[in-house]
Amino acid sequence: MSALFEPLTLRSVTLPNRIVLSPMCQYSAIDGVPTNWHRIHLGRYAAAGLGLIIAEATHVSARGRITPGCLGLYNAVQEAGLAAIAADLKAFGKTPFAIQLAHAGRKASTDFPWRGGKPLEGPSAWLTEAPSALPHGDGWHMPAALDEEGIARVIREFAEAAQRADRAGVDVIELHGAHGYLMHQFLSPISNRRNDSYGGSLENRMRFPLEVFDAVRAVWPQHKPLGIRITGSDWMGSEGLEVEDAKIFAAALKERGCDFVDVSSGGISLQQKIVTGPGYQVHFAEAVKKATGMVTMAVGLITEPKQAEEIVREGRADLVAMARALLNDPFWAWRAADELGGDVHVPPQYLRGRQRGVDTPREVQLKAVR
């Protein structure tokens, strides 16, 4: 049997297979509220036979948004919009639904990527905040360094967003602790130059993201899984975070009841030197898994069924998350099931498209009924 199509249970939630829709920002919300685009974008994956659908980075405050078009979960209107999407996914599919809770920190207040993604100027811009008053790069906003009151506020915002997610019918939460956003900014010595208990040593730099995790875990129902995306490397050599730091951070998360880690990399500095290639980040997930025994998710140019199968079968990671491959082919899991001999859920409306071998459409329908 294909390892990629084996179920995986996290607390009370069973993923039918190991294929995950990675969170992908769509920059199409209005005041943080999802639009019809989100219903179309996420809705097409309800029929795709995936193991888990993770909605894009959903921000816990207006000032935490990357762009004006980013999703939010800090008011009742946003909560209602997310609830409608969650209801659609559950009505027409069998894939659990997750969101990624995030705060962009010093990388907030930028324009849409298709308009260059540069920091906003004038009345459309807003104040950004970070662990230290250090801009992301030349031409970026100077963020306000969070004081202890500000840190406590952001932690409350994460917890309140988690409560909204629960009421909206979300099954799984992934916290965003990577890609140079706020939790990653506290973790990395590149962006954290504090001299208080939130800065300096790795133990101190882990304090804020661990406090966020604890606050969310305290309000998120115990039967629902909670994980986090972490960084395997800043791609800045010994100046930044490296995989050994990821192992230590993941071990601390495991002690607090973290159910999985999604291991990515990069994003903390414009000076990073990333070496890409097929599966270029998988070794980070593998190292964390071996060191901690945690359920891990690998991501990064995983595009082919045999490639994904080998990652899971060889125990390098428990889950594979894909973004561009699933944008290009929403029914990638169908193709993978055919190639690997796995079973995949197909809605009855789409059965005529799932003919195998010499089966006639009628034979396919009868097999599905059985």
Side-chain angles (χ1 to χ4, degrees), residues 19 53 99 122 135 141 212 219 234 243 251 274 289 296 367:
I19 307 166
I53 294 170
I99 63 166
H141 304 121
V212 170
V219 300
D234 282 342
V243 71
I274 299 179
K289 179 176 172 60
T296 59
K367 287 181 180 180

Side-chain angles (χ1 to χ4, degrees), residues 278-280 282 300-312 320:
Y280 72 102
V282 174
L301 294 182
I302 300 170
T303 59
E304 298 302 320
K306 288 183 179 179
Q307 176 193 19
E309 173 72 15
E310 288 174 1
I311 290 168
V312 177
V320 292

Side-chain angles (χ1 to χ4, degrees), residues 157-212:
E157 289 168 348
F158 270 95
E160 290 167 1
Q163 291 174 308
R164 292 188 182 280
D166 178 44
R167 293 195 296 265
V170 173
D171 302 306
V172 180
I173 284 178
E174 177 183 273
L175 301 175
H176 202 343
H179 296 177
Y181 297 126
L182 186 61
M183 282 197 280
H184 185 187
Q185 289 164 27
F186 269 89
L187 275 167
S188 176
I190 301 292
S191 48
N192 185 341
R193 304 291 176 81
R194 301 174 72 98
N195 56 14
D196 62 2
S197 59
Y198 287 96
S201 67
L202 177 61
E203 181 181 9
N204 283 0
R205 287 184 277 113
M206 292 194 308
R207 182 180 172 189
F208 172 73
L210 290 177
E211 287 181 347
V212 170

Side-chain angles (χ1 to χ4, degrees), residues 328-341:
N328 183 60
D329 179 7
F331 298 102
W332 186 95
W334 291 12
R335 178 164 62 87
D338 289 345
E339 186 172 324
L340 302 172

Side-chain angles (χ1 to χ4, degrees), residues 28-50:
S28 301
I30 298 176
D31 294 328
V33 180
T35 63
N36 286 339
W37 175 258
H38 294 92
R39 298 187 80 146
I40 293 170
H41 167 65
L42 292 170
R44 66 179 179 169
Y45 294 107
L50 303 177

Side-chain angles (χ1 to χ4, degrees), residues 25 35 56 58 66 73 77 112-113 121 141-142 162 170 239 252 286 324 335 345 359:
C25 291
T35 63
E56 65 192 83
T58 305
I66 305 167
L73 195 50
V77 180
F112 302 114
E121 298 179 355
H141 304 121
M142 178 65 72
V170 173
E239 184 181 353
E286 181 179 16
R324 292 171 178 83
R335 178 164 62 87
H345 170 70
D359 289 350

